[in-house]
Amino acid sequence: AQSVTQPDIHITVSEGASLELRCNYSYGATPYLFWYVQSPGQGLQLLLKYFSGDTLVQGIKGFEAEFKRSQSSFNLRKPSVHWSDAAEYFCAVDPNTGFQKLVFGTGTRLLVSP
Amino acid sequence: DADVTQTPRNRITKTGKRIMLECSQTKGHDRMYWYRQDPGLGLRLIYYSFDVKDINKGEISDGYSVSRQAQAKFSLSLESAIPNQTALYFCATSDMTGANTGELFFGEGSRLTVL
């Protein structure tokens, strides 16, 4: 079945440490890929997106993500986490139907310890 | 002011009541969406609209209806609310032109509790 998987429900990272959040998808063709962040009590905000081209994508707030076709993955990374990065992160996929109906993963909640 | 505004932000209601959640946007986008967020389930699409005359069901439309009153307004209705419709509801907009192609712009959410 077509799906978006975020295997980690919660992740705790020390402030200043590096971060990697995992996202895998199962679609036949390469879809459009997105990462969104949801801060407490807020709506979702786009961090970055991948349509084609360079497989390493830079986003806002110092985040980047790498598309790996062979692994059907689009993992989000940040070299040094700040306390303000504590939030919930959602990977999303547009199966490229042309209708832009995003399918969201179940989210990963990031906790940042002092 | 927010570009995508949802009202009410919080609502508590009883089983069987009719509820309307409203969304208005100042971004000038044609496409509008209603999503539902439940813990551990992520966001699921309820309805979407690509223009005033175009309404489409998403993956979980049962028990919901929508109205696109104008380009800027998209309302979600629960005709007879039930407890398992307790959730956080998000309205979103998108535009398929320019640098923001593919990006969804979200409101701050409407938390609905059905007792």
Side-chain angles (χ1 to χ4, degrees):
Chain A
Q2 298 180 330
S3 65
V4 181
T5 302
Q6 293 182 247
D8 303 305
I9 298 174
H10 299 280
I11 283 185
T12 300
V13 174
S14 298
E15 190 168 15
S18 64
L19 170 70
E20 183 169 25
L21 302 182
R22 296 182 290 166
C23 175
N24 292 93
Y25 63 90
S26 60
Y27 290 89
T30 299
Y32 295 164
L33 299 161
F34 304 80
W35 276 100
Y36 283 83
V37 60
Q38 183 182 24
S39 299
Q42 302 294 314
L44 282 73
Q45 179 185 23
L46 180 71
L47 285 175
L48 45 77
K49 61 187 178 184
Y50 174 78
F51 289 174
S52 65
D54 191 344
T55 58
L56 186 62
V57 180
Q58 301 299 318
I60 63 171
K61 304 184 181 186
F63 285 91
E64 66 179 27
E66 185 172 12
F67 168 59
K68 293 186 177 180
R69 184 188 308 272
S70 61
Q71 298 177 18
S72 297
S73 69
F74 188 56
N75 293 349
L76 182 71
R77 301 194 295 244
K78 187 170 185 178
S80 178
V81 168
H82 187 263
W83 64 266
S84 61
D85 293 323
E88 189 154 21
Y89 292 80
F90 292 93
C91 180
V93 169
D94 179 351
N96 203 6
T97 63
F99 298 112
Q100 207 210 340
K101 292 189 293 180
L102 289 194
V103 178
F104 285 84
T106 52
T108 298
R109 182 167 297 280
L110 173 66
L111 305 174
V112 180
S113 61
Chain B
D1 290 340
D3 293 324
V4 182
T5 303
Q6 294 183 230
T7 56
R9 293 291 312 279
N10 289 283
R11 181 71 182 269
I12 300 173
T13 191
K14 295 182 178 180
T15 298
K17 294 292 187 181
R18 183 178 187 274
I19 294 297
M20 178 180 287
L21 305 180
E22 298 183 330
C23 177
S24 63
Q25 53 118 344
T26 58
K27 299 191 74 67
H29 291 169
D30 287 328
R31 299 186 173 200
M32 298 188 73
Y33 307 78
W34 276 104
Y35 282 90
R36 167 178 172 162
Q37 183 180 21
D38 297 278
L41 297 179
L43 278 78
R44 293 178 292 168
L45 183 62
I46 306 173
Y47 271 95
Y48 60 102
S49 169
F50 286 169
D51 65 42
V52 174
K53 296 181 180 180
D54 177 74
I55 303 289
N56 302 280
K57 293 182 177 180
E59 62 178 300
I60 55 163
S61 59
D62 287 349
Y64 301 95
S65 62
V66 291
S67 174
R68 186 81 183 266
Q69 300 95 323
Q71 186 205 38
K73 295 185 182 296
F74 192 38
S75 300
L76 176 71
S77 293
L78 290 67
E79 296 301 325
S80 180
I82 57 176
N84 77 0
Q85 292 177 313
T86 293
L88 182 58
Y89 291 85
F90 283 104
C91 176
T93 72
S94 73
D95 183 15
M96 294 302 289
T97 62
N100 294 326
T101 295
E103 179 175 356
L104 288 178
F105 293 85
F106 285 84
E108 294 185 324
S110 294
R111 185 169 295 281
L112 176 65
T113 302
V114 183
L115 302 177

